[in-house]
Amino acid sequence: MKNIKYFISFLSLALLLSSCEKEDYEFGDIVAPTNLTITPDIVGKDASNPYGDGSGVVNITAKADNAISYKFIYNGVEKVKSSGYLLYNFGNTGVNKYIITVVATGKGGISSSATIEFEVLVVYVPPVELVTMLNANSSRTWRIKAEGLGHFGLGPVGGSVPTEWYGAPANAKANTGMYDDRFTFKLDGSFLHDTGADGTVFGRKTLIEELNGPGGTPEGDDIIQYPYASNSGQYILTAPNGVETITLSGLGFIGYYTGGSHQYRIFKREANEMVLSTVDGNNGFEWWFTLVPAE
């Protein structure tokens, strides 16, 4: 009887080991990314303009064999892109040197890294009326125009019709955590995001996970009431290809978290209202926002 028990135990152990060996085989080899290259495409760079056209826009492309994602690191801020592509919009006036590190990650988390340096020219000086509108030459706080038709919505990437595919009716997103958020722009270039009394925000499913918060509530393709503390950062004003643009530092965002470049095209502006748009991190939609002063 004991021999039978021993035989059964031995057979069970053999099957377990066989199963483990099969799983290891199916996982495949763990290979570190190799041949990592980082290419900066400085917009407007040519023989006559070695530092670009003055817009400060640089398209960074990273490629490596056996890589499944890329992490871009600039000035202590990290952004992960599976595509290996990221657009930077630098705002320091004059010719300045920038250093960017890219970490390419492969299966099992094995990684390789490389660093590049390049110089970029920025000559843009925002119009006085734009500065006055945005920060009142001191500090100005804005909010989403919840009471307006089409205050939030989406359309095709690069579209010129606000909320072409969907525009939210007045107060339609009252349960999301967006309407009590406040966005303050100061003359010194600082940006403050007050997430309101509820301490929650609104964003795109999967993309909002970049904020590293505790969760929120799924609602279709969105995440509502995502817990997120008030925060601060910087903003710069540029005009690549003549288009006035607000770029927020780090993970800064306005209204609805979409990831991406954190750049907001100023589609229309008046003394007390502005319409912004941004492309999400999936390059799937152009997202639109109408803001008005909070005071």
Side-chain angles (χ1 to χ4, degrees):
M1 190 66 171
K2 288 183 179 179
N3 290 338
I4 293 176
K5 289 182 179 178
Y6 291 152
F7 175 75
I8 292 174
S9 298
F10 177 79
L11 180 60
S12 299
L13 179 61
L15 289 173
L16 177 61
L17 292 174
S18 175
S19 176
C20 292
E21 290 174 359
K22 183 178 181 181
E23 290 177 1
D24 290 343
Y25 176 80
E26 289 178 348
F27 183 79
D29 296 331
I30 297 177
V31 181
T34 56
N35 302 318
L36 173 60
T37 60
I38 312 170
T39 305
D41 177 18
I42 302 172
V43 172
K45 179 179 179 178
D46 55 29
S48 301
N49 302 282
Y51 305 114
D53 61 7
S55 66
V57 178
V58 182
N59 299 292
I60 308 293
T61 302
K63 293 183 179 180
D65 297 334
N66 304 308
I68 58 177
S69 69
Y70 301 85
K71 179 167 64 178
F72 295 78
I73 306 172
Y74 165 65
N75 201 25
V77 177
E78 301 180 355
K79 295 184 179 181
V80 177
K81 299 292 179 182
S82 59
S83 64
Y85 168 81
L86 187 61
L87 181 150
Y88 281 96
N89 196 333
F90 299 102
N92 296 325
T93 304
V95 176
N96 291 278
K97 179 181 292 185
Y98 299 94
I99 301 174
I100 290 180
T101 298
V102 175
V103 179
T105 303
K107 288 183 178 180
I110 303 298
S111 63
S112 302
S113 65
T115 298
I116 58 167
E117 295 184 4
F118 51 85
E119 293 181 294
V120 181
L121 170 66
V122 176
V123 298
Y124 176 71
V125 177
V128 172
E129 63 271 19
L130 170 58
V131 174
T132 300
M133 180 275 301
L134 187 63
N135 58 45
N137 298 308
S138 177
S139 177
R140 198 176 197 188
T141 300
W142 297 78
R143 64 173 176 84
I144 298 296
K145 188 180 180 181
E147 68 275 18
L149 176 64
H151 59 276
F152 163 73
L154 59 88
V157 173
S160 57
V161 178
T163 64
E164 182 176 354
W165 289 348
Y166 167 76
N171 300 304
K173 301 297 179 180
N175 68 325
T176 64
M178 176 171 66
Y179 291 161
D180 65 346
D181 287 14
R182 298 293 181 265
F183 312 96
T184 301
F185 296 89
K186 294 188 176 183
L187 183 60
D188 64 3
S190 59
F191 170 75
L192 307 177
H193 180 180
D194 181 346
T195 60
D198 63 3
T200 68
V201 295
F202 179 38
R204 194 69 171 171
K205 186 182 293 184
T206 68
L207 292 173
I208 200 171
E209 293 172 4
E210 295 174 3
L211 299 179
N212 296 315
T217 303
E219 186 177 85
D221 290 325
D222 304 323
I223 298 293
I224 66 173
Q225 298 175 354
Y226 187 93
Y228 194 58
S230 297
N231 56 90
S232 62
Q234 301 293 315
Y235 75 93
I236 58 172
L237 294 172
T238 56
N241 300 314
V243 179
E244 293 178 345
T245 302
I246 301 171
T247 301
L248 303 179
S249 65
L251 298 175
F253 70 99
I254 294 171
Y256 176 85
Y257 189 83
T258 65
S261 64
H262 302 266
Q263 293 182 317
Y264 292 81
R265 169 178 57 158
I266 303 175
F267 181 77
K268 183 180 76 172
R269 59 177 170 86
E270 300 172 352
N272 293 302
E273 184 171 304
M274 60 178 169
V275 177
L276 308 178
S277 74
T278 189
V279 178
D280 63 49
N282 295 325
N283 199 38
F285 303 105
E286 186 103 10
W287 296 89
W288 295 83
F289 309 88
T290 300
L291 287 87
V292 293
E295 62 270 11

